[in-house]
Amino acid sequence: MAKNNNLWQEFSKGLFKENPIFYIVLGLCPTLAITTSLENALGMSGAVIFVLTFSNVVISSIRKIVPDKIRIPCFIVVIASFVTITELLMQGYFPILVKHLGIFLPLIVVNCIIMGRAEAFAKNHKVIPSLLDGLGMGVGFSLAIILIAGMREFLGTGKILGRIVFRCFSPSLIFVLPPGALLTLGLLIALFNRIKKR
Amino acid sequence: MKNNLLVSFWPHIQMKDSITKIMWIVFLSLIPAGIAGVYFFGLHSLVLIFVSIVTAVFTEALIQLIRKKKITIYDGSAALTGLLLAYNLPPAVPFWIPIVGSFFAIAIAKQTFGGLGRNIFNPALSARVFLLLSWPTYMTAFVNPFGSADTISSATPLSTLKEGGRTLSDIGLTYMDLFLGRRAGCIGEVAIFLLLLGALVLLILKIITLHTPLSFIFMLAIFSWIFDKHGLFKGDVLFSIMSGGVILGAFFMATDYVTSPLTKKGKIVFGIGCGLITFIIRRFAGYPEGVSFSILIMNAFVPLIDRIFKPSVYGKK
Amino acid sequence: MDVKAILMIIVSMVFINNFILSKFLGLCPFLGVSRNIKPALSMGLAVIFVMTLSSSITWLVYRFLLLPFNITYLRTIVFILVIATFVQFVEMFILKKSPALYRTLGIYLPLITTNCAVLGVAVLNINTFFVNNNPVEFSFIYSMLQGFFAGIGFTLALFLMSGIRERLMLNDTPALFKDLPIAFIIASLMSLGFMGFTGFNF
């Protein structure tokens, strides 16, 4: 029972308590740029969960073979391979989405969350906890960017997933522009800090 | 015992009510230009000015109440922000535009930094640019003086120029029209004559200095003259100064105590930067007017400018 | 060489598509090292240097290695390895040649490897200056310039931000907004100003 609890904790900590975006503020680079629409955010979420989970698993399973000195290049190669696999898969199945995500899809490689989890968790934990950690962090990341993207799409275009929600709402275009992204994230971080304090 | 050792942020103004006095004098000096705006564009402008000020003051009070701070709405700074924001709005915008704008100005651009004296960016201008980017169709629809509010989408002199107009007579205006304010534009920016009068009062009372406005206007004028669209040294200097929001911006917003440099040299550098950026945006970028953007960008440079041109320490040379 | 194209690259990279304020690349170091002016400037210099050179190296690798062997799908892996190796070499070189410079730039160099801006500009170069896998005219020089000015834009934003945050330290920013939230709001207002250059054209 205690063991299950532990595993559940590995998964759930990423959702809220250690949410990579709102609390640790990692992996922002691809976060903000693609959160102009909910659809993009969903696509990015899928890609990040996939890469984060599998790279965590692989890194944790090779953790005893890799010499400490060259571990970072090795980790990067592992991560980059999964990113490439994702890129190729998505190009095959969702070519339009790939166009929308643009350079931010290959840039998952340098997303600090993935390297961060490899360094902070996967390199000294067993495979199963690492898998759950990756999954949890990935889902936490996804929830955060879906929240941001939903707010930005709604405020900026009056739509959610491309459908108009309120007719009598004059959308504030700025929220789909860069300043709106920074503002939304700034206010959300402040809000979450507030919630966490309670 | 009264605690006199108040550690406060600059400007370190000694008397407590002097900041209040200054704010209200600036407020009053802007009133004539507003009356002219209402005279030209109708009562809707008055509603906008009123709504903008009330929202700004209300937001300030609300946030200070939430933060359990002393309510300082009588110092006039929130009212001044509301007034300046309304002056930067086209006269035909719906009434909720100044509500959103004033709320943004006070809640985001001022109070997140901790209130008066701490904000880095000019609240009224931040809000103006926020509105311009959010609702471009409303924020670029102007009316002609004495035209009914239905005849919107009349172009300002600057936007006509941007779309290929060559001279003042193409637009059907004279310099006198520009000077008195008989042209399409934002509510408070058109009445150049009355704005200058207000600025003169502030200069005489030593509330503002000429460093920033002069270097701002000089820089803009000289670049507009040299690098005109139709060839070198063919620009219309008077037109470039009187056609947009430069007078309002240079004398009343680039001189804001909180968001502009402390020293004379710093003020001059600040003005030069504003003038140059205004020129670049007017001449090359997509927007017809660049005054708000330029002051906002230069606001970001102020801490660095102050660092370079430190006020000299007393006793040192 | 087209002066107009070069000017467009400059304005685009420094203002309109500023890597931090508009593309959000390199936000992590931007938030991390913008608390004080001095480290911000050192970091900026290091980034300009690395971005310019890694732009040229990745261009060469793409043009003469990935394209001929038809393995462009390995772009991401190869680029990140090239950048990591390059940064490592720069670090060793600087340590050997100028310990003084190393003390100022040294600790920032490893950080740069995982700076998305560096990989970002490399990928962006390939996307903009290769049409159907053929380099456009002056493609190499444009890539290098794009790298250089993207670095300048990064440094400008970092420099301004550090100045503002240094001033804010003397301030009692509301606890709710202290540090990160206020940094984002400042960045948002800065980006608001920079939006004025939209539609820039000669």
Side-chain angles (χ1 to χ4, degrees):
Chain A
M1 201 57 208
K3 203 185 162 213
N4 277 342
N5 260 343
N6 266 343
L7 289 180
W8 168 247
Q9 257 173 18
E10 302 300 1
F11 175 75
S12 65
K13 67 174 187 288
L15 302 186
F16 193 83
K17 210 170 74 196
E18 288 177 31
N19 186 296
I21 288 184
F22 292 132
Y23 294 136
I24 311 184
V25 197
L26 274 183
L28 292 163
C29 321
T31 319
L32 287 174
I34 55 91
T35 50
T36 47
S37 78
L38 202 50
E39 201 183 330
N40 287 353
L42 289 172
M44 183 55 103
S45 300
V48 169
I49 294 179
F50 176 83
V51 175
L52 189 51
T53 314
F54 282 93
S55 65
N56 249 13
V57 168
V58 171
I59 287 166
S60 134
S61 50
I62 59 170
R63 68 183 190 281
K64 284 184 183 144
I65 317 165
V66 178
D68 203 45
K69 280 211 167 141
I70 55 156
R71 69 175 193 281
I72 301 235
C74 295
F75 293 172
I76 290 180
V77 173
V78 171
I79 297 168
S81 315
F82 280 111
V83 171
T84 308
I85 293 171
T86 322
E87 267 184 276
L88 294 174
L89 280 175
M90 283 177 80
Q91 251 155 24
Y93 291 104
F94 313 102
I96 301 169
L97 195 58
V98 171
K99 241 187 202 150
H100 281 292
L101 297 179
I103 62 167
F104 294 99
L105 196 54
L107 285 185
I108 296 177
V109 178
V110 275
N111 187 327
C112 329
I113 298 181
I114 298 173
M115 197 54 174
R117 286 335 283 175
E119 267 293 287
F121 198 91
K123 82 162 192 231
N124 36 31
H125 282 83
K126 284 186 185 146
V127 176
I128 301 286
S130 297
L131 179 125
L132 288 171
D133 175 81
L135 207 59
M137 284 290 162
V139 174
F141 171 88
S142 303
L143 288 178
I145 67 169
I146 286 169
L147 181 65
I148 297 172
M151 280 181 67
R152 288 186 66 195
E153 190 182 352
F154 174 68
L155 291 172
T157 63
K159 299 172 182 174
I160 293 241
L161 280 173
R163 284 191 197 84
I164 293 176
V165 188
F166 293 120
R167 288 239 168 263
C168 54
F169 173 70
S170 189
S172 164
L173 204 60
I174 201 167
F175 283 97
V176 286
L177 298 172
L182 294 162
L183 182 66
T184 314
L185 188 60
L187 294 180
L188 279 175
I189 293 177
L191 181 75
F192 273 72
N193 279 345
R194 176 82 189 225
I195 297 172
K196 204 183 180 188
K197 245 187 220 158
R198 290 225 166 129
Chain B
M1 198 184 86
K2 197 169 154 251
N3 185 8
N4 284 324
L5 299 171
L6 236 155
V7 182
S8 75
F9 202 57
W10 66 277
H12 296 288
I13 289 166
Q14 298 297 315
M15 281 179 299
K16 203 166 160 248
D17 17 26
S18 77
I19 194 90
T20 307
K21 205 168 120 196
I22 288 172
M23 288 291 174
W24 287 113
I25 291 175
V26 176
F27 191 95
L28 287 177
S29 72
L30 279 161
I31 296 285
I35 295 175
V38 175
Y39 171 70
F40 288 131
F41 302 119
L43 276 179
H44 187 64
S45 308
L46 189 64
V47 176
L48 295 179
I49 296 174
F50 185 72
V51 166
S52 184
I53 295 175
V54 170
T55 314
V57 172
F58 179 77
T59 311
E60 177 113 324
L62 187 75
I63 289 175
Q64 284 170 339
L65 210 67
I66 294 173
R67 289 189 61 206
K68 299 188 182 82
K69 297 261 161 172
K70 201 176 148 227
I71 292 186
T72 60
I73 52 174
Y74 302 108
D75 69 6
S77 75
L80 185 60
T81 299
L83 186 75
L84 281 171
L85 173 65
Y87 277 20
N88 278 292
L89 295 176
V93 293
F95 73 93
W96 54 263
I97 288 265
I99 296 185
V100 178
S102 279
F103 179 78
F104 181 87
I106 300 295
I108 306 288
K110 187 175 169 191
Q111 288 294 344
T112 52
F113 291 86
L116 181 65
R118 301 185 174 88
N119 50 311
I120 300 290
F121 298 90
N122 186 314
L125 285 178
S126 312
R128 200 256 159 164
V129 173
F130 174 84
L131 293 172
L132 178 64
L133 294 174
S134 286
W135 294 282
T137 42
Y138 290 124
M139 290 296 288
T140 52
F142 291 92
V143 287
N144 270 330
F146 310 119
S148 67
D150 308 331
T151 57
I152 50 170
S153 83
S154 152
T156 63
L158 273 174
S159 58
T160 317
L161 199 72
K162 193 124 212 166
E163 272 137 38
R166 290 185 71 105
T167 59
L168 203 54
S169 50
D170 281 353
I171 308 165
L173 293 172
T174 63
Y175 287 122
M176 207 51 186
D177 287 331
L178 293 183
F179 190 59
L180 294 176
R182 285 192 298 247
R183 58 146 172 118
C186 294
I187 297 171
E189 74 176 20
V190 291
I192 305 289
F193 172 62
L194 294 172
L195 284 173
L196 287 175
L197 219 59
L200 192 66
V201 172
L202 298 186
L203 283 169
I204 292 170
L205 294 176
K206 297 204 166 126
I207 290 176
I208 60 173
T209 64
L210 272 175
H211 300 93
T212 307
L214 272 195
S215 51
F216 188 161
I217 293 169
F218 180 74
M219 214 50 194
L220 174 66
I222 202 147
F223 272 88
S224 308
W225 176 56
I226 298 175
F227 300 103
D228 192 58
K229 215 164 34 171
H230 308 297
L232 287 181
F233 303 105
K234 282 189 178 163
D236 185 339
V237 170
L238 278 177
F239 179 85
S240 72
I241 297 173
M242 298 201 295
S243 55
V246 184
I247 300 294
L248 179 64
F251 283 100
F252 293 93
M253 293 188 290
T255 52
D256 175 28
Y257 280 6
V258 182
T259 56
S260 66
L262 292 167
T263 57
K264 284 175 193 159
K265 277 182 197 155
K267 284 182 177 32
I268 292 171
V269 170
F270 184 78
I272 289 174
C274 289
L276 197 61
I277 297 170
T278 305
F279 161 75
I280 292 173
I281 291 177
R282 277 190 185 178
R283 175 75 177 76
F284 300 112
Y287 293 100
E289 177 59 305
V291 170
S292 321
F293 289 113
S294 70
I295 299 177
L296 209 54
I297 292 174
M298 288 311 291
N299 282 163
F301 281 89
V302 168
L304 296 174
I305 294 177
D306 273 342
R307 217 179 130 104
I308 296 168
F309 303 103
K310 274 182 205 143
S312 55
V313 180
Y314 184 73
K316 268 188 178 176
K317 193 190 131 195
Chain C
M1 287 284 283
D2 192 350
V3 179
K4 197 177 154 180
I6 294 175
L7 274 170
M8 287 303 283
I9 291 177
I10 297 177
V11 175
S12 164
M13 282 298 113
V14 178
F15 297 108
I16 304 173
N17 292 318
N18 184 294
F19 260 38
I20 290 174
L21 299 176
S22 167
K23 295 220 175 266
F24 313 117
L25 292 170
L27 267 180
C28 311
F30 175 65
L31 295 168
V33 266
S34 65
R35 285 189 181 87
N36 297 88
I37 292 180
K38 273 223 173 99
L41 264 187
S42 306
M43 176 73 174
L45 286 180
V47 167
I48 294 175
F49 180 71
V50 170
M51 270 173 122
T52 316
L53 288 180
S54 73
S55 281
S56 14
I57 297 173
T58 50
W59 189 93
L60 293 172
V61 168
Y62 191 78
R63 173 71 184 78
F64 296 109
L65 201 74
L66 298 186
L67 274 182
F69 292 102
N70 212 6
I71 44 169
T72 51
Y73 59 87
L74 287 179
R75 181 181 72 175
T76 313
I77 302 183
V78 173
F79 278 15
I80 191 80
L81 283 178
V82 167
I83 292 170
T85 325
F86 170 66
V87 173
Q88 197 72 55
F89 273 121
V90 171
E91 199 182 338
M92 288 176 350
F93 182 79
I94 294 181
L95 182 62
K96 212 147 210 161
K97 289 285 167 194
S98 164
L101 189 65
Y102 183 80
R103 273 196 297 277
T104 28
L105 296 189
I107 52 164
Y108 301 108
L109 285 168
L111 274 176
I112 289 175
T113 318
T114 50
N115 182 341
C116 8
V118 180
L119 183 62
V121 80
V123 175
L124 193 70
N125 287 335
I126 306 303
N127 286 358
T128 35
F129 301 125
F130 280 82
V131 177
N132 293 328
N133 284 338
N134 285 314
V136 298
E137 212 182 348
F138 304 118
S139 173
F140 179 71
I141 296 168
Y142 286 161
S143 298
M144 230 172 124
L145 284 174
Q146 183 151 284
F148 178 74
F149 284 104
I152 297 277
F154 180 92
T155 308
L156 176 69
L158 194 65
F159 189 39
L160 290 179
M161 190 63 158
S162 63
I164 294 174
R165 284 180 88 175
E166 250 187 28
R167 165 166 289 183
L168 287 189
M169 289 217 272
L170 311 167
N171 245 344
D172 54 338
T173 311
L176 192 58
F177 288 97
K178 234 176 194 128
D179 210 30
L180 284 179
I182 198 72
F184 277 111
I185 287 168
I186 294 165
S188 165
L189 292 171
M190 261 159 71
S191 146
L192 216 53
F194 279 21
M195 291 295 285
F197 291 100
T198 321
F200 189 88
N201 202 354
F202 277 97

